[in-house]
Amino acid sequence: MQALLFTAHGGPEVLTVADVPAPHAGPGRIRVAVRAAGVSPADDAIRSGAWKDIYPIPLPYVVGVDAAGVVDEIGDGVDGVHLGDEVYGVRPAGATTAAHAVLDLWAAKPVAWTWSQAGGAAAAVATGSHALDELGVRAGSTLLLDGASGGVGAITVQLAVARGARVIGTAGPANHAFLRDLGAEPVTYGPGLADRVGTRVDAALDVSGHGDVRRLVALTGSPDAVRTLVAHNAAHGVRLLRVDPSGVPAALTAAAALADAGRLTVPIAAEYPITDGPAAHARIATGHARGKVVITLTTQPDEAAAR
Ligand SMILES: NC(=O)c1ccc[n+]([C@@H]2O[C@H](COP(=O)([O-])OP(=O)(O)OC[C@H]3O[C@@H](n4cnc5c(N)ncnc54)[C@H](OP(=O)(O)O)[C@@H]3O)[C@@H](O)[C@H]2O)c1
C-alpha cells in the first residue's frame, strides 16, 4: 500500500510516498481505509529530528497521528463498530498517512464533516477536550487561549463556547475576524497581552508555545489554572498537558454530536494529496495555519489485496 514516510531525519523533502505492507488491526484496534489524515507541528518536529532525543522513533517512519476512513478490519475484543463504518480517530504511535491505518481510539465520523475535516480533527479534539476538562472550563468560565487560530486552537475555541464559556483567543491580526466567527473575542498575542485582555481570566491554555507563560499565570492568578501544550513552556509552575487516552473515545463522540448539531466545524487551512507530503509539512512548519492542514488519500487499487 502507499504510505508517506521518511527514512532519515531532515526537511520536508525527506518525505516520500513508498509502497509498504499494510498493517493489521491487532487486539482492541481497528484498521481503516484512510480518506484523510491530519498534519500537525508534532509531525514536523518528529520528521526534522527536533524530538529525536525525547521521542525516539523507528525508521522508516510513516507520518501522521490521526485520520478518518472506512473500517476494513476489526481486531479481537472490539465491539460497537462494523466493517464499512465511517470513523475518525487517533494512532499516537504514528502511521496514519497511508492507504490503510490502524486506529487505537475512534468514534463515528459526523455526517456534517467532509473527509478532510474528519481526517484532521481527532488529535485536536482529544487535546482540546482534555485541556478543558483539566482546566475545569464550564458555563460561565472565562478562558484565554494563547494561539487560538491554528489546528488545536480553532477547535478548542468552539468546544469551550459549546460549554458556555467566554473565550478570549490570541491570533495575528489577520485572523481576528476568523476567531470572531468561531465565537471567540480576539486579541493580538505578544508583549502587552495582559493590558489587551483587560480582565482576570479563570483559566488559560498555552496552545502555541511561543508566548511567555508568566503572562498567563498573571492573568489567572495561579499556575494551577494554566496548562501548556508545548514542553519548553512547562515552567514557572505551569504543567504540560498530557492527554489521557481513556477519555478520548467519549471526547470524539461528543465532538461528533456537536458537529452534527452545527456547533463544531473544522476549518481547513490547506489540503494536499499524499504525493504533496513535503508541501503539507512545509505549510505546517510556517506556524501560521488557519485551522487544520490535512493530507487526502483516494481509494487505492491495492485495497482489496490488503484484506
Ligand atoms: N501536549 C499535547 O498533547 C499536544 C497535542 C496536540 C498539539 N500539541 C502542540 O500544540 C501546538 C499547537 O498545535 P497546532 O496544531 O494548533 O499548531 P498550528 O496549527 O501550527 O497553529 C499555531 C498557531 O499559533 C499561533 N501563533 C504563532 N505565533 C504565536 C505567538 N507568538 N503567540 C501566540 N500564538 C502564536 C498562530 O496564529 P497566527 O497564524 O494567527 O499568527 C497559529 O494559529 C504544537 O506545538 C503541537 O505540537 C500538543
Side-chain angles (χ1 to χ4, degrees):
M1 66 162 191
Q2 275 194 324
L4 183 66
L5 57 77
F6 59 91
T7 54
H9 294 292
E13 70 282 355
V14 300
L15 289 170
T16 180
V17 177
D19 196 33
V20 302
H24 290 285
R29 301 192 167 96
I30 60 171
R31 190 184 71 181
V32 295
V34 177
R35 295 293 181 266
V39 181
S40 84
D43 297 316
D44 179 57
I46 292 168
R47 188 216 65 243
S48 71
W51 285 6
K52 70 176 181 232
D53 295 332
I54 52 166
Y55 187 69
I57 48 150
L59 294 174
Y61 177 85
V62 179
V63 297
V65 297
D66 58 2
V70 179
V71 177
D72 70 354
E73 196 176 272
I74 299 173
D76 288 345
V78 174
D79 296 320
V81 66
H82 303 95
L83 295 177
D85 284 358
E86 298 183 351
V87 300
Y88 76 120
V90 294
R91 171 74 163 163
T96 61
T97 315
H100 300 267
V102 172
L103 298 179
D104 298 349
L105 305 160
W106 64 86
K109 170 190 168 293
V111 174
W113 287 348
T114 64
W115 280 118
S116 288
Q117 290 177 306
V125 164
T127 305
S129 301
H130 187 75
L132 298 183
D133 288 346
E134 273 206 20
L135 290 168
V137 174
R138 59 179 73 87
S141 302
T142 300
L143 170 71
L144 175 63
L145 290 175
D146 196 18
S149 56
V152 175
I155 285 176
T156 309
V157 165
Q158 299 171 79
L159 293 174
V161 168
R163 291 184 183 207
R166 175 186 175 198
V167 182
I168 301 169
T170 76
N175 284 331
H176 285 195
F178 170 73
L179 283 189
R180 245 181 242 112
D181 285 347
L182 296 177
E185 299 166 37
V187 295
T188 301
Y189 45 67
L193 180 65
D195 290 339
R196 288 190 295 281
V197 170
T199 180
R200 182 84 166 243
V201 300
D202 299 308
L205 182 65
D206 168 38
V207 181
S208 82
H210 294 301
D212 182 343
V213 287
R214 283 175 295 192
R215 292 187 200 124
L216 307 185
V217 174
L219 278 162
T220 58
S222 167
D224 292 335
V226 182
R227 293 288 185 281
T228 180
L229 296 187
V230 183
H232 67 242
N233 257 358
H236 312 290
V238 172
R239 276 169 279 160
L240 177 67
L241 187 91
R242 292 184 193 281
V243 175
D244 174 3
S246 68
V248 171
L252 297 180
T253 301
L258 282 176
D260 280 335
R263 300 172 67 198
L264 178 60
T265 190
V266 182
I268 299 295
E271 56 181 76
Y272 301 85
I274 190 170
T275 45
D276 282 348
H281 273 221
R283 179 76 178 84
I284 201 74
T286 65
H288 295 286
R290 178 188 289 180
K292 280 299 306 185
V293 176
V294 295
I295 289 175
T296 57
L297 290 99
T298 49
T299 307
Q300 298 300 315
D302 67 355
E303 269 188 17
R307 295 205 171 92

